[in-house]
Amino acid sequence: MPTLNRVADVQRFMEALDAQSFRDLELIVIDQNPDDSLRPVLAPYLNKFPITHVQTHKPIGAVAARNMGAQMMKGEVLAFPDDDCFYEPDFLQRVDEELKTHPDWDGLSGGVVGLEHYYSKKPAFISRYKVWWQGLEFTLFYRKSIIDKIGLMDPTFGPGAKTPWGAGEAADYMLRTIEAGFKVHYDPTLKVHHPGPLTSPRNDADEAKCVYGYSMGKGHVLHKHHLPFWYMLYLAARPMARALGNAFIWRWSKAAISLAVTKGVLTGYFLSIRLAEAASDATVLAQSV
């Protein structure tokens, strides 16, 4: 679990983790705070289940932090909880039972409480054209065999990566698992609570800025994995339709959020193409010298 600048959210997560009926777990916390604010939060749980508390004292980014923790895991299944999510008391027990019942499944994914309208309502194996509606990084549970074969998440994605790709690490990783021949099952009844930060909810203007960066990452994923051009246009057109609908009823700030998604997907996709071409030209030039 990577964390930065959150204490109350981490406290909520720890309480939910301690309430789990399944106890064969290990928590690795990659603490990017400049102080010891999380020590008193973690202290009451140190004797309840194994906790590895790693302090970096400087932000390294969400994906880099997840990768650091993944390299320390001792268990058989890896999960990437966000510091502002939490589980129902029987959640990890259900995940464990599903994976034991289906040893041919390489991983499991679920939905998000409150976003049932967005995520797929049908259980199925994660597929190339549906990854956007079949989970996020904090809903994924992967057997160690996946990590051993395809490696860690791409650290150029996500918050703190210092790239244009504000998100997309989960979709990128799910596509990599599919391309490597693994089977990850999506179960919409397995839902993670992810209500967002307790202390700093975003207003509409900040939300538009945020989703623009997230959507830039989506555009990059689409190009990186060679998904068809028509599919990129489809993903860009969906939020455009929502923007027009909101504008029609004078909900301008909501329209701006949807428009930011469309703009982000298109900008991210074409920027990804330009960057790939520039890298290819640089490689050709280096080989010719």
Side-chain angles (χ1 to χ4, degrees):
M1 181 181 71
T3 184
L4 174 64
N5 296 331
R6 289 177 184 164
V7 175
D9 302 271
V10 175
Q11 177 66 54
R12 179 179 59 192
F13 177 79
M14 297 304 299
E15 291 171 358
L17 201 60
D18 187 40
Q20 293 298 303
S21 55
F22 181 82
R23 307 299 295 182
D24 187 11
L25 59 92
E26 170 194 25
L27 175 65
I28 302 171
V29 180
I30 308 300
D31 181 356
Q32 302 170 76
N33 293 297
D35 54 26
D36 291 329
S37 57
L38 284 190
R39 285 191 176 275
V41 175
L42 300 177
Y45 305 95
L46 293 175
N47 294 324
K48 296 190 175 185
F49 45 83
I51 299 176
T52 301
H53 182 198
V54 180
Q55 293 179 278
T56 67
H57 294 297
K58 64 177 182 179
I60 60 174
V63 175
R66 291 188 189 105
N67 288 346
M68 181 185 292
Q71 294 178 82
M72 300 176 185
M73 69 173 288
K74 302 181 182 70
E76 299 174 1
V77 178
L78 176 64
F80 295 112
D82 278 359
D83 58 2
D84 57 348
C85 79
F86 65 95
Y87 308 136
E88 291 290 339
D90 66 341
F91 181 81
L92 292 181
Q93 185 70 50
R94 290 186 61 199
V95 170
D96 182 64
E97 290 172 355
E98 288 275 18
L99 290 175
K100 285 180 177 177
T101 302
H102 304 280
D104 56 319
W105 293 359
D106 300 298
L108 192 62
S109 178
V112 182
V113 173
L115 291 177
E116 290 83 359
H117 64 286
Y118 182 81
Y119 289 93
S120 175
K121 296 178 175 61
K122 296 181 180 180
F125 288 109
I126 289 177
S127 64
R128 187 169 171 80
Y129 292 98
K130 294 183 179 180
V131 292
W132 315 105
W133 305 283
Q134 293 178 312
L136 281 167
E137 59 278 352
F138 57 86
T139 72
L140 295 172
F141 292 80
Y142 282 160
R143 296 190 196 273
K144 192 172 183 296
S145 55
I146 291 182
I147 292 85
D148 289 341
K149 182 172 180 178
I150 71 173
L152 303 171
M153 284 188 167
D154 185 342
T156 64
F157 285 100
K162 298 180 180 179
T163 71
W165 326 126
E169 63 268 32
D172 175 62
Y173 207 72
M174 286 190 280
L175 287 167
R176 286 169 59 193
T177 63
I178 294 169
E179 291 160 2
F182 289 107
K183 295 192 301 181
V184 178
H185 194 264
Y186 168 73
D187 183 348
T189 69
L190 283 172
K191 298 175 184 177
V192 178
H193 290 265
H194 193 274
L198 292 173
T199 55
S200 57
R202 291 192 291 262
N203 58 38
D204 286 348
D206 290 338
E207 182 71 13
K209 182 178 179 180
C210 183
V211 299
Y212 175 73
Y214 289 172
S215 302
M216 287 272 285
K218 178 180 286 189
H220 180 45
V221 171
L222 291 166
H223 174 251
K224 178 181 176 181
H225 290 275
H226 309 291
L227 286 153
F229 185 72
W230 65 261
Y231 184 63
M232 183 278 293
L233 293 177
Y234 167 71
L235 291 180
R238 283 169 58 96
M240 176 62 79
R242 289 196 299 272
L244 292 173
N246 280 311
F248 185 75
I249 56 175
W250 303 86
R251 298 176 65 187
W252 299 112
S253 60
K254 299 301 182 184
I257 292 173
S258 295
L259 190 60
V261 175
T262 293
K263 182 180 177 182
V265 171
L266 293 171
T267 304
Y269 183 82
F270 289 109
L271 177 59
S272 181
I273 290 175
R274 289 200 299 272
L275 292 175
E277 289 173 346
S280 178
D281 291 343
T283 300
V284 172
L285 179 61
Q287 292 174 345
S288 64
V289 173

